[in-house]
Amino acid sequence: MASPAGILVVAAQRELRRALFDTFDQDGHFVVHSARDATHAGILLEGRSPLALIVMVFEGDGREAMAGIEVLRSLPACVGAPVLAVLDDGAVLKPNVLPAGIADWLYASQIEHELLSRWQRMQRVAAHGDVADDAAASRNGDYRFAFDEVDAEWLIVDPARGRLVDYSPALARNSGLGDHELRGRPIKELLAFAETTVEHVIAEGSRQWHAGRRRSSRGADSGEVSARAVRHAGRDAVALMFRSDRACVRAEVALALLARMFASGSGDEGIAEAARLLYEEMGLDYLAVWSARPDEGGAPVQLVQYWRGDEQLWPGPHLQSSLRLVLSGQAMLHQVDAARLAPMDPLLAQLGLAGFAGWPLQDERRTVLGALLIGTRQPLPSLAIVQPVLRVAASRFAHAIELRHTREQGRAEGLLDALTGLPNRLLFNDRLDTVIREANRTGECFALLFVDLDRFKTINDTLGHAVGDQVLLTTTQRLRSTVRASDTVARYAGDEFVVILRHIVKNEDVLRIAEKIVQVMGAPLRIDDGTELQVTASIGVSFFPDDAPDADTLLKHADEAMYAAKSLGRNNYQIFEGSAEQSQQQNLALKSGLRHAEHKGELRVFYQPQVDAVTEDIVGMEALVRWEHPELGFIGPGFFIPLAEETGLIVSIGEWVLRAACRHAQEWERRFGLGLRLGVNLSAVQLMQPNLLEVVSAALDESGLEANLLEMEITESISIKAAPNLVENLQGLHRLGVRIAIDDFGTGAASLDYLRKLPADRIKIDQSFVRNIGVDPDDEAIVRATIEMAHRLKRGVVAEGVETEQHMEFLRANHCDELQGYLFCRPLPQPAFEKLLLERQRLLAGVGDSAA
């Protein structure tokens, strides 16, 4: 077998070297040598076989490249090798002044689509012995030098065959079509006319303009076409020039676009329509409009986004460095080199944009109201058009957002309770519907609390409405102090309040919060005249989706549970309970469904990343089981896991989760080599199984996962005395090399006893304590003490339920080792988690490339 052909790539810019190398390398038939300059090439080629091709990048006036070619010609490996010139997009050198001996050339923007085809054409021409003739024709006025007009779209047609034989870089750039979609294709596939035919235009050969449409990756672009006679490879040919109606190509069309954008109406629909016009008419691949008030410290809100590509896991606004820069008031414009920003901005890293621009949206006082971001996979079109269009478009969006803020301020007066400032019933109902839609999409569980003040009417009637208002304001403060910023507190009516508790893992967490509200509300309340009042509350709790799949029923059930609390003496909370017969029927149906869920493929393993508290890089993941019921949708583990334990199904389900998770983890380890630790939960029933070690060992053997990458999590609520095999089984797992973590730490009664007696490597602080960071000093003290105690005993610490920056900063300050929670990532299904790892790999590869 012949050895692969050797190709030398010489480019000063690392980005161009990498693009050329990757394009040749993906073909797999070449040995590619990549050099910074001719001196570097000489070192690489020492003792090498003769090359098949030299690719030289010309920058600026091209003098360095010309000198480099002279040096290369003296190297044995380069003697006789044809040279392909690549003109950097910033080069001032024109193709018609390239030195003798250049077999062919292309622009840097054409590398991805045309490099291999140009090389193949050079080989075909060389086989017929007319390379020199072709190069000479190029230097003596070949039609291709009309391509120097950067924005001109030329199609060179063989009139006898009616096929495209060459085209200008602008055509490829503006159409988004690759070489395989252009070269050699029938011209009828690329151009169509309303009032004439392609054959007529070619035969006519005049410079008269005809209305037509040119095919593109987006479908087709309208414009006009004229024809003229040229020579191609010594034969008669026809050059068709296409003049696009797209705004990014022609200034008069751009003006018409801006007029349509300003006429697109007001409100969110007007913003979306204006953005769509800009996106389509400018031929963009990405567009986003953000609303923000950086001076107020609020998180930016995305108003509209368009992306011409696959669905993405979009990075949060706090991770997008380009967005943050634009929101600080600084404009960005990268016509061809947006890839340079990828190491600092994960959005650009995963979208693979070549052109990118960001424009701050400012009012007349230069206050930043938001940001306009656009991007293209190809370089941005002419800046003479793009810059004015962006500037005027930004003004249009800024005006719309300013009007939006004014309307929101006025509308808020009708959506917020005038006394307490809380959302009123109308706004609450809207938020509840939104939370339910998100939960249906993500499998999230949440709780609804209906809080009613006991005997409030008596206070109003005897002490007056002013005192009643003080009670309501104090109640608002107390409720807000017991929940997180991500939760919702609203005044539903009169003395009735409602609370939505998001991201619930265990129902017991909700009950602890409900108990805390009862205690906080029971504290004496001092009014303005010094009188102390005792105001208590009755609370009803319902869970989504366990108790109801819709807002009305969920509210109804929480209300019924609240009245049950009142009937039991007030000053307590109650969970909604359906009729005994209804509950029994529901449980029987779910138990029956659960018995077949594994075999029917209804169980899913989701993964939530655990990150290093300092670097925020992924160091592990917890496997979480979900049940996707064919009729009820996702059912929360807090509901079906107790059913599984009750029926004994937890053993088979637990084994299935362990095997699946080990298999996925090993595949990711094989692909990414990150050494990610996999956490899998063990229930009390599984811990007491005599064959537990055999089950775990078999899962490791089947998957090939290293034992030290598996961590079994046991809940602290399991009693050592109640589970006689507990210590022995855990010690056996340790001997296998498996790690042990104590889950839900701090919620049991024997935490220190656990740490001393069990072979635990790490502890996981329960989210019920983490969620109260910044709210409850007592829980903060517990978190501090837990971290300190664990570290003294040489145990690692993971904090669960990290949802706010305040949580993260507190845990970092107290030297927590790892963090897990919605602040970083929600639990993801296996394909989405794998995509997350791919994006991480791509981002870090970009950082490594820029460092190199």
Side-chain angles (χ1 to χ4, degrees):
M1 179 183 293
S3 59
I7 293 177
L8 173 65
V9 169
V10 183
Q13 293 183 43
R14 192 182 191 286
E15 293 85 354
L16 285 178
R17 277 205 314 276
R18 181 62 181 267
L20 291 162
F21 182 93
D22 287 348
T23 304
F24 282 123
D25 187 57
Q26 69 185 1
D27 187 274
H29 294 94
F30 311 110
V31 174
V32 185
H33 310 287
S34 178
R36 295 184 299 274
D37 50 34
T39 303
H40 185 200
I43 297 172
L44 292 177
L45 297 176
E46 184 70 32
R48 299 283 182 177
S49 302
L51 295 174
L53 175 68
I54 299 170
V55 181
M56 175 67 74
V57 174
F58 283 71
E59 299 179 8
D61 60 8
R63 292 181 183 177
E64 289 189 19
M66 294 178 189
I69 291 175
E70 292 300 317
V71 173
L72 293 176
R73 289 299 186 199
S74 66
L75 301 177
C78 297
V79 174
V83 178
L84 173 65
V86 176
L87 301 188
D88 178 56
D89 291 327
V92 297
L93 179 75
K94 295 301 181 183
N96 58 343
V97 295
L98 285 170
I102 301 296
D104 205 344
W105 60 271
L106 75 161
Y107 288 109
S109 58
Q110 297 175 283
I111 290 173
E112 180 181 356
H113 300 294
E114 296 195 33
L115 179 63
L116 291 179
S117 61
R118 290 291 174 97
W119 168 223
Q120 290 162 1
R121 186 177 69 181
M122 289 170 61
Q123 291 175 303
R124 289 196 300 270
V125 172
H128 291 86
D130 54 0
V131 174
D133 294 340
D134 188 68
S138 295
R139 292 192 301 278
N140 295 324
D142 187 9
Y143 69 87
R144 286 191 297 153
F145 301 111
F147 294 177
D148 293 349
E149 187 181 343
V150 175
D151 295 322
E153 295 190 28
W154 290 96
L155 301 91
I156 311 302
V157 181
D158 178 347
R161 297 187 303 138
R163 292 181 178 270
L164 187 72
V165 294
D166 206 354
Y167 54 90
S168 67
L171 178 79
R173 181 172 65 248
N174 294 338
S175 69
L177 300 176
D179 185 73
H180 67 285
E181 299 171 286
L182 292 170
R183 196 177 306 280
R185 307 303 302 173
I187 194 65
K188 285 184 176 181
E189 294 183 7
L190 302 172
L191 290 176
F193 297 88
E195 299 177 355
T196 185
T197 64
V198 171
E199 292 85 356
H200 175 75
V201 173
I202 292 175
E204 182 185 49
S206 71
R207 302 199 176 196
Q208 181 179 349
W209 292 100
H210 301 274
R213 296 177 67 80
R214 189 253 300 125
R215 180 184 160 202
S216 77
S217 59
R218 295 166 291 277
D221 293 335
S222 61
E224 49 191 9
V225 182
S226 71
R228 63 211 67 191
V230 295
R231 298 281 292 173
H232 171 264
R235 299 193 182 110
D236 290 338
V238 174
L240 300 174
M241 182 181 183
F242 179 75
R243 197 159 63 184
S244 174
D245 286 341
R246 278 175 49 205
C248 61
V249 178
R250 295 172 59 193
E252 60 268 31
V253 181
L255 286 173
L257 162 66
L258 293 172
R260 290 164 64 197
M261 287 179 62
F262 274 90
S264 60
S266 59
D268 288 355
E269 290 184 2
I271 292 175
E273 175 61 14
R276 186 193 65 77
L277 286 170
L278 184 63
Y279 174 73
E280 294 292 349
E281 298 292 332
M282 294 293 288
L284 305 175
D285 294 308
Y286 172 75
L287 180 144
V289 178
W290 291 84
S291 172
R293 291 182 181 269
D295 54 320
E296 296 180 1
V301 176
Q302 190 176 80
L303 301 183
V304 63
Q305 176 176 272
Y306 292 104
W307 164 239
R308 207 182 303 278
D310 297 333
E311 185 178 349
Q312 301 286 322
L313 282 170
W314 300 100
H318 65 289
L319 297 176
Q320 298 182 35
S321 58
S322 300
L323 173 62
R324 295 202 307 270
L325 187 64
V326 175
L327 289 176
S328 72
Q330 183 170 332
M332 302 177 65
L333 187 56
H334 295 265
Q335 187 176 18
V336 298
D337 62 347
R340 295 183 182 179
L341 306 175
M344 291 77 76
D345 193 324
L347 176 72
L348 297 179
Q350 70 187 56
L351 297 188
L353 301 176
F356 180 78
W359 221 265
L361 309 180
Q362 298 172 312
D363 63 14
E364 294 179 354
R365 297 176 301 279
R366 309 292 292 173
T367 301
V368 177
L369 305 176
L372 168 63
L373 305 180
I374 67 163
T376 52
R377 292 188 179 92
Q378 299 293 326
L380 287 174
S382 170
L383 296 186
I385 294 177
V386 170
Q387 279 185 296
V389 167
L390 277 181
R391 191 178 295 112
V392 178
S395 175
R396 189 262 183 261
F397 289 124
H399 176 75
I401 290 175
E402 187 173 19
L403 183 61
R404 186 177 188 266
H405 287 167
T406 303
R407 288 175 174 170
E408 284 177 351
Q409 186 175 353
R411 188 164 58 243
E413 296 175 2
L415 296 176
L416 298 180
D417 177 58
L419 175 65
T420 63
L422 293 174
N424 62 17
R425 181 190 297 220
L426 182 63
L427 181 55
F428 171 79
N429 287 337
D430 180 70
R431 287 191 181 177
L432 181 58
D433 287 338
T434 300
V435 171
I436 288 176
R437 283 197 300 272
E438 290 181 4
N440 281 327
R441 188 178 70 251
T442 64
E444 173 196 337
C445 300
F446 69 87
L448 179 64
L449 276 59
F450 210 114
V451 182
D452 186 90
L453 301 184
D454 297 327
R455 299 187 175 91
F456 178 74
K457 186 176 184 301
T458 303
I459 295 174
N460 253 347
D461 292 344
T462 57
L463 300 176
H465 288 284
V467 174
D469 287 350
Q470 289 183 50
V471 171
L472 292 173
L473 287 169
T474 302
T475 299
T476 298
Q477 294 166 0
R478 290 177 174 180
L479 287 175
R480 278 178 162 167
S481 70
T482 57
V483 300
R484 302 160 297 178
S486 58
D487 298 325
T488 295
V489 179
R491 186 181 179 193
Y492 202 66
D495 62 339
E496 296 175 337
F497 295 81
V498 279
V499 180
I500 301 175
L501 300 178
R502 301 286 305 271
H503 312 317
I504 299 305
V505 178
K506 302 186 297 297
N507 291 1
E508 291 81 0
D509 297 335
V510 175
L511 305 189
R512 280 194 286 271
I513 295 170
E515 177 61 36
K516 186 172 183 179
I517 293 175
V518 170
Q519 293 173 0
V520 168
M521 291 301 302
L525 185 155
R526 188 182 298 273
I527 59 177
D528 288 346
D529 64 2
T531 304
E532 280 195 354
L533 298 178
Q534 192 77 27
V535 181
T536 60
S538 298
I539 304 173
V541 183
S542 61
F543 292 93
F544 177 92
D546 302 345
D547 293 330
D550 62 278
D552 290 341
T553 310
L554 201 63
L555 274 165
K556 176 186 171 187
H557 288 170
D559 187 51
E560 291 174 5
M562 182 269 292
Y563 278 106
K566 284 190 178 293
S567 68
L568 292 173
R570 297 180 171 82
N571 192 28
N572 72 93
Y573 69 87
Q574 293 297 314
I575 304 171
F576 170 74
E577 293 182 1
S579 66
E581 181 181 353
Q582 182 183 6
S583 297
Q584 186 177 14
Q585 289 176 348
Q586 183 186 40
N587 280 354
L588 286 174
L590 286 174
K591 286 177 183 177
S592 175
L594 192 56
R595 292 182 191 280
H596 306 289
E598 179 184 340
H599 303 296
K600 290 183 177 180
E602 296 170 5
L603 296 180
R604 307 278 183 269
V605 183
F606 280 48
Y607 298 90
Q608 186 170 34
Q610 296 165 343
V611 305
D612 184 279
V614 177
T615 66
E616 295 184 38
D617 194 14
I618 301 174
V619 293
M621 63 272 186
E622 180 179 2
L624 303 163
V625 64
R626 298 287 188 266
W627 180 15
E628 189 173 6
H629 194 281
E631 297 173 1
L632 302 176
F634 278 103
I635 299 177
F639 187 79
F640 78 83
I641 290 298
L643 289 180
E645 290 178 335
E646 183 182 329
T647 57
L649 292 171
I650 191 64
V651 175
S652 62
I653 291 176
E655 289 183 17
W656 180 86
V657 170
L658 178 64
R659 292 197 306 272
C662 286
R663 189 170 63 251
H664 293 156
Q666 174 56 21
E667 173 62 18
W668 294 330
E669 179 62 17
R670 183 188 64 80
R671 292 185 61 185
F672 304 107
L674 299 178
L676 295 183
R677 183 184 56 249
L678 169 68
V680 179
N681 289 276
L682 279 178
S683 71
V685 178
Q686 290 173 281
L687 276 168
M688 290 186 282
Q689 293 296 308
N691 67 336
L692 175 63
L693 299 184
E694 288 80 0
V695 169
V696 173
S697 182
L700 291 171
D701 291 341
E702 290 170 10
S703 64
L705 184 68
E706 293 291 334
N708 66 339
L709 294 181
L710 177 63
E711 182 172 82
M712 309 305 294
E713 299 184 7
I714 64 166
T715 180
E716 190 198 16
S717 60
I718 300 174
S719 167
I720 293 177
K721 294 180 181 178
N725 297 331
L726 175 63
V727 175
E728 291 80 2
N729 273 339
L730 294 181
Q731 288 174 342
L733 290 173
H734 242 193
R735 287 193 295 273
L736 286 176
V738 175
R739 306 186 196 189
I740 306 296
I742 300 177
D743 201 7
D744 308 331
F745 190 82
T747 59
S751 300
L752 188 56
D753 190 44
Y754 254 56
L755 277 182
R756 285 173 175 164
K757 293 186 177 180
L758 298 184
D761 300 284
R762 298 191 313 148
I763 66 168
K764 301 184 73 177
I765 302 175
D766 188 70
Q767 65 166 335
S768 62
F769 298 108
V770 175
R771 68 182 296 159
N772 284 331
I773 291 173
V775 175
D776 189 333
D778 291 339
D779 284 347
E780 289 181 358
I782 291 172
V783 172
R784 283 195 200 94
T786 301
I787 296 173
E788 185 179 347
M789 178 177 63
H791 285 168
R792 279 204 308 267
L793 295 173
K794 298 186 176 3
R795 308 289 200 265
V797 183
V798 184
E800 298 181 289
V802 181
E803 297 186 2
T804 68
E805 295 282 346
Q806 186 179 21
H807 294 168
M808 180 178 68
E809 294 304 327
F810 176 90
L811 291 162
R812 273 180 177 168
N814 287 280
H815 310 296
C816 184
D817 302 307
E818 295 171 17
L819 310 175
Q820 177 180 345
Y822 277 70
L823 178 63
F824 307 102
C825 188
R826 60 182 173 82
L828 299 172
Q830 179 252 333
F833 191 84
E834 184 168 307
K835 194 168 186 179
L836 179 71
L837 296 180
L838 279 168
E839 295 301 339
R840 175 199 175 278
Q841 184 184 56
R842 186 184 306 170
L843 177 61
L844 291 184
V847 173
D849 289 345
S850 64

